Structures are given as C-alpha cells and as structure tokens.
Amino acid sequence: MSGYRIRPAAGDDARVLADMLVEAVNWNALRARPRVTVLEDPFVARYIAGWMRPGDFGCVAEDHHGTPVGACWARLFPANAPGSGFVAVGVPELTLGVNPQWRAQGVGRALLREIARRGAASGVARLSLSVERANFAQRLYVSEGYVTVASDDRADVMVRALR
Ligand SMILES: CC(C)(COP(=O)(O)OP(=O)(O)OC[C@H]1O[C@@H](n2cnc3c(N)ncnc32)[C@H](O)[C@@H]1OP(=O)(O)O)[C@@H](O)C(=O)NCCC(=O)NCCS
C-alpha cells in the first residue's frame, strides 16, 4: 500500500468516523466486539454522536481512490459527561483509528500531526486522549509529544500542549 492524502473531516463523515471508532475500540483483536455492539455502547457512541457538532474537528486519510483509510478527530465533552480522556472543559479529546491493511505505514502518525496542526491553527491550547498502556499507540503518542497526566491500572490519560 502506498499513496494516501489527508483532508479535513466534514459533516458527512459520520460513517467513516464510526468505522474508525470501531477500529480504535477493537485495538486488541483478542477482545474485539461486533461493530453493532461497539456502536450501541453509549460510552463509545458519545465520541461520534451528532457529528459534526460545534467544536468538533478532525481529519480523514484516503487512498488514491478517495476511500477512507483512517481518521483522527477531536471533540469537547462537558465536565458532567466527560470522555475517558477528559482533563478539563475546553480541552478536546481525540480519537484515532486506521484500517488494519493500512497500519504501520505512517498514516496514524500523519493524522496525529495534522490534528495537532489544525487544533493549533484554530486556537486550541491542548489535546487529550485516553489509551490503554498495552497498546503500542501509547508509545506513538509519547513520540508525538503527549504526556501522561493521569493513570489507572490499565490506561493513561495523555495531554499535548499545542502552544
Ligand atoms: C494506533 C494506530 C492508529 C497507529 O496508526 P498506524 O498508521 O498503524 O501507525 P504509524 O504507521 O504511523 O506508526 C507509528 C509508529 O508506531 C509504530 N508501529 C506501527 N505499528 C506497530 C505495531 N503493530 N507494534 C508496535 N509499533 C508499531 C511504527 O513503527 C511507528 O513508529 P516509527 O515511526 O518510530 O517507526 C493504528 O495502528 C490503529 O488504528 N490501531 C488500532 C486502533 C487504535 O489502537 N487506536 C488508538 C486507540 S487510543
């Protein structure tokens, strides 16, 4: 595989984001759940419900046919209904997923860099996320400047300052 481009996520990308959300949740193939089960889980669905809301922003990687192969997006959550990676009101939490056949080819890192660039350009000061430490993605985030600010026995909440 080679040759992808990254474009901004749009209001009609809800299906693409749902696909990538399922990939993100099912990162551990040994614990993978069916798509419908994943998306029926309200703690998962909150990352895409009503996409695209004010404050949402993201980017989509596409192959040379225009078929989406990955996405990264950021969403604000209120303090009374926080996401897993919530750190403060006004700090968007990101989600990242790449199609299995496109992994380990630089797409994930490129999406992370683009979401940071877009966030900084629109005045976002910090981005947050939640990642299970057993997921190699945790090391990818470290290498892109994310710092662990909270942990439990399984997962880290990480933050990157954009300015
Ligand atoms: C995590 C994920 C988004 C990374 O995207 P990707 O396109 O595969 O990653 P990249 O190709 O940009 O690689 C980034 C780094 O991770 C490393 N890497 C890639 N796949 C790896 C693997 N299976 N194991 C260990 N390291 C790996 C790469 O070597 C690269 O490091 P390098 O630049 O120093 O060589 C993607 O693998 C994915 O969708 N996984 C399932 C969903 C998920 O875990 N989402 C994040 C939830 S918090």
Side-chain angles (χ1 to χ4, degrees):
M1 301 272 183
S2 67
Y4 64 90
R5 69 172 194 122
I6 294 180
R7 61 164 173 82
D12 60 0
D13 280 320
R15 169 86 196 192
V16 176
L17 271 48
D19 291 344
M20 299 310 154
L21 182 59
V22 172
E23 296 296 342
V25 171
N26 283 340
W27 71 269
N28 182 344
L30 299 175
R31 290 197 330 236
R33 294 183 284 163
R35 175 191 171 90
V36 63
T37 309
V38 170
L39 295 176
E40 277 174 353
D41 180 342
F43 287 97
V44 174
R46 62 190 170 171
Y47 287 95
I48 50 167
W51 177 268
M52 174 175 203
R53 290 184 192 150
D56 288 345
F57 62 100
C59 41
V60 173
E62 314 181 312
D63 69 12
H64 63 280
H65 300 296
T67 303
V69 301
C72 187
W73 66 100
R75 162 162 280 190
L76 292 165
F77 290 90
N80 64 358
S84 310
F86 182 87
V87 293
V89 171
V91 180
E93 179 178 341
L94 68 78
T95 304
L96 172 66
V98 173
N99 273 351
Q101 58 271 40
W102 275 86
R103 289 181 192 162
Q105 298 169 69
V107 177
R109 191 185 293 283
L111 285 166
L112 270 180
R113 289 183 177 173
E114 179 62 12
I115 198 90
R117 192 192 66 74
R118 295 183 65 79
S122 56
V124 170
R126 292 187 291 166
L127 288 171
S128 76
L129 60 85
S130 171
V131 60
E132 291 186 47
R133 268 187 306 286
N135 188 346
F136 82 86
Q138 200 267 2
R139 296 190 294 283
L140 167 62
Y141 297 135
V142 169
S143 74
E144 288 298 318
Y146 289 81
V147 174
T148 300
V149 294
S151 299
D152 62 19
D153 56 336
R154 197 176 52 90
D156 290 339
V157 175
M158 307 184 82
V159 169
R160 175 177 168 174
L162 300 182
R163 57 186 160 94

